[in-house]
Amino acid sequence: MQKAIQPPISVPEQQPVVLKQGEQGFVQKLLHLKVGVIPLPLYVVFALIIFAASVLGELPNDMIGGFAVIIVLGVLLSDLGFKLPILKNIGGPAILSLMIPSFLVFWNVLDPSVLESVNTLMKTSNFLYLYISILVAGSITGMNRTTLINGFIRIFIPMMAGTIAAVAAGMGVGMLLGYSAHRTLFYIVVPIIGGGVGEGILPLSIAFSQILGGESGSYVAQMIPAAVIGNVFAIIGAGLLKRMADKNPSITGNGVLVKSKDGQKLTGSTYDSAKPDFLLMGAGLLFACGLFITGHLLSPFVGIPGPILMIFAAALLKISKLLPAKIEQGAYQLYKLVSGTLTWPLMVGLGMLYIPLKDVAALISLPYIIVCATVIVAMTITGYFTGKWVNMYPVEAAIVTGCRGGLGGTGDVAILSASGRMELMPFAQISTRIGGAITVVVATLLIAVWGG
């Protein structure tokens, strides 16, 4: 007898997983969230990869590892700085990108491999000077020629006026708060306006040790805190000036320093409307490197710092019209690319390696902070009104004058990024380096006479 054929067992079809309306909304929102321009889920993946590599000791100790670290932090911190209340109005991206990494180092949060990779990028590979070289080459050669000539001639007026005001106000407030005139001048005011650590504080420490005796390192530890605190106030000041300019467009050239003779705004770059050309950018990179090496070669023979010679060389080529227009365009477009993408990551590296919070914490006090703030405020306000008097845009004149306050080229990058006016880099470098060199010479002569 045949068995009855059993009908096949029906397997219910699997229905696709359908998210509820609330869940769909959450996922869509998550996918649309961004850190800078990077979608949040993708950013988290990148960050976890870099973190895992550092913990496992596999983070490359080269430019690749260094760039990975500073970019992943720079994108996050700058994005927060642009969005957080209050901070976004006082240079938040620059403050967070510079100070948070410094605190992470101070608290020993970062793995040693992270610091090694960043150190290789920033110091061994000299990324800071490559960045400054690209900015100087591109901003000068891409600048309006009349603006360039007038700017170089006039910038010394607010620079010197701001220096005098900073010394007078700083010493006055310092003595009112109980500091001696000697300590206020040589250990607070001079370090702030001395042109940074490498160009100002280190030469001063050697000179002080030879004149007064003692180890130069002890003088460095006494002077660095003022430079760091002064730089923070200069960043905040630049952010406030930017906010003033946004509310009152008549007081700013939006990155242009000098007005024309009839008081009208001179145009910025002649290449703003040109289509980006990546081959020309490569030529612009070669030009920037060539300028830096030229300054480095000539510096021992003429006794002028290489970065200053680099600025003068670029300005001479622009004024004399010796550089082909296509090379100018490539240098300018490369400068726009680099300043738009690598400024905040660069500041993360600077915060990790150039902001010694340990030294700052040892000397910090409320009167000390007030004196540092007074120096910056006096210098910036004087630059504002003096610049207005000599037919410069007051906001730009104040920002460039304020660049004297703090950490040299490092401080220039932080201050100009907070103000959104990176095209002022050549003038900031002149103000910082030439003003700083004058300060170092005068301070050395004074302390030789004044003593300890």
Side-chain angles (χ1 to χ4, degrees):
M1 188 175 182
Q2 293 181 338
K3 294 181 179 179
I5 299 174
Q6 297 294 328
I9 299 172
S10 62
V11 179
E13 294 184 7
Q14 281 192 330
Q15 297 296 322
V17 178
V18 179
L19 296 176
K20 296 179 181 178
Q21 186 174 359
E23 293 173 338
Q24 283 182 334
F26 173 76
V27 172
Q28 288 177 348
K29 286 180 180 178
L30 185 66
L31 292 175
H32 282 86
L33 286 176
K34 291 184 177 181
V35 180
V37 296
I38 304 172
L40 178 60
L42 187 58
Y43 175 86
V44 171
V45 170
F46 288 150
L48 288 175
I49 290 171
I50 296 166
F51 175 74
S54 68
V55 170
L56 296 173
E58 297 296 329
L59 185 68
N61 185 15
D62 54 23
M63 291 180 66
I64 296 174
F67 270 125
V69 170
I70 67 172
I71 290 174
V72 79
L73 285 173
V75 169
L76 174 63
L77 295 173
S78 62
D79 191 54
L80 290 174
F82 279 118
K83 294 175 179 177
L84 291 176
I86 301 176
L87 268 179
K88 66 182 180 181
N89 297 324
I90 58 171
I95 293 172
L96 292 184
S97 298
L98 197 66
M99 299 308 298
I100 295 298
S102 183
F103 276 106
L104 294 178
V105 173
F106 181 65
W107 292 327
N108 294 315
V109 173
L110 299 176
D111 190 271
S113 64
V114 170
L115 293 178
E116 289 173 5
S117 296
V118 174
N119 187 74
T120 299
L121 171 66
M122 298 294 296
K123 293 187 175 180
T124 306
S125 300
N126 210 3
F127 175 49
L128 173 61
Y129 275 101
L130 174 64
Y131 177 93
I132 290 176
S133 299
I134 290 171
L135 259 64
V136 166
S139 58
I140 288 182
T141 56
M143 196 181 297
N144 179 288
R145 187 167 171 269
T146 305
T147 301
L148 178 65
I149 295 170
N150 290 339
F152 272 115
I153 292 172
R154 298 185 198 179
I155 190 58
F156 289 96
I157 300 173
M159 181 186 82
M160 296 310 297
T163 301
I164 294 170
V167 172
M171 289 188 67
V173 172
M175 288 187 288
L176 282 175
L177 294 176
Y179 291 104
S180 67
H182 184 278
R183 176 160 182 76
T184 304
L185 177 62
F186 293 112
Y187 296 98
I188 301 179
V189 177
V190 166
I192 292 176
I193 63 175
V197 178
E199 296 86 355
I201 289 176
L202 292 183
L204 280 169
S205 68
I206 294 170
F208 284 15
S209 67
Q210 292 176 351
I211 295 169
L212 304 177
E215 293 291 330
S216 61
S218 65
Y219 294 106
V220 172
Q222 292 181 70
M223 288 189 278
I224 277 185
V228 173
I229 295 171
N231 197 72
V232 171
F233 279 111
I235 293 170
I236 294 172
L240 293 174
L241 285 166
K242 181 180 184 297
R243 185 165 173 78
M244 284 174 54
D246 292 341
K247 290 185 174 182
N248 186 3
S250 65
I251 62 176
T252 179
N254 292 313
V256 176
L257 185 63
V258 182
K259 299 178 182 178
S260 64
K261 290 183 179 179
D262 58 3
Q264 298 300 311
K265 177 182 176 180
L266 292 168
T267 57
S269 174
T270 55
Y271 301 110
D272 280 329
S273 59
K275 184 179 178 180
D277 189 319
F278 297 107
L279 288 176
L280 290 182
M281 290 186 200
L285 177 59
L286 176 60
F287 172 59
C289 294
L291 277 179
F292 179 83
I293 294 171
T294 300
H296 183 73
L297 283 173
L298 295 178
S299 180
F301 300 102
V302 298
I304 298 174
I308 294 296
L309 291 175
M310 176 178 68
I311 294 170
F312 286 153
L316 182 62
L317 288 171
K318 177 67 178 183
I319 292 168
S320 60
K321 300 182 180 179
L322 293 175
L323 199 65
K326 287 294 184 181
I327 303 300
E328 289 187 356
Q329 178 186 332
Y332 178 74
Q333 290 180 343
L334 178 65
Y335 140 69
K336 296 295 285 185
L337 173 66
V338 169
S339 65
T341 57
L342 293 177
T343 296
W344 310 122
L346 172 74
M347 293 184 61
V348 170
L350 297 176
M352 286 184 183
L353 303 179
Y354 292 88
I355 308 293
L357 287 185
K358 183 177 180 181
D359 293 332
V360 176
L363 287 178
I364 196 168
S365 66
L366 182 58
Y368 192 91
I369 293 172
I370 292 173
V371 177
C372 293
T374 301
V375 171
I376 298 299
V377 170
M379 187 161 50
T380 304
I381 291 176
T382 304
Y384 182 97
F385 288 104
T386 307
K388 188 176 182 180
W389 175 60
V390 295
N391 207 34
M392 300 167 78
Y393 285 100
V395 165
E396 278 68 20
I399 291 168
V400 171
T401 305
C403 283
R404 299 252 3 239
L407 296 170
T410 303
D412 291 344
V413 173
I415 294 163
L416 295 182
S417 61
S419 69
R421 287 160 172 79
M422 295 303 295
E423 54 267 69
L424 293 174
M425 179 60 77
F427 302 114
Q429 288 279 289
I430 290 289
S431 177
T432 299
R433 295 184 183 276
I434 292 183
I438 294 171
T439 301
V440 169
V441 172
V442 173
T444 302
L445 294 174
L446 275 176
I447 204 161
V449 175
W450 200 333

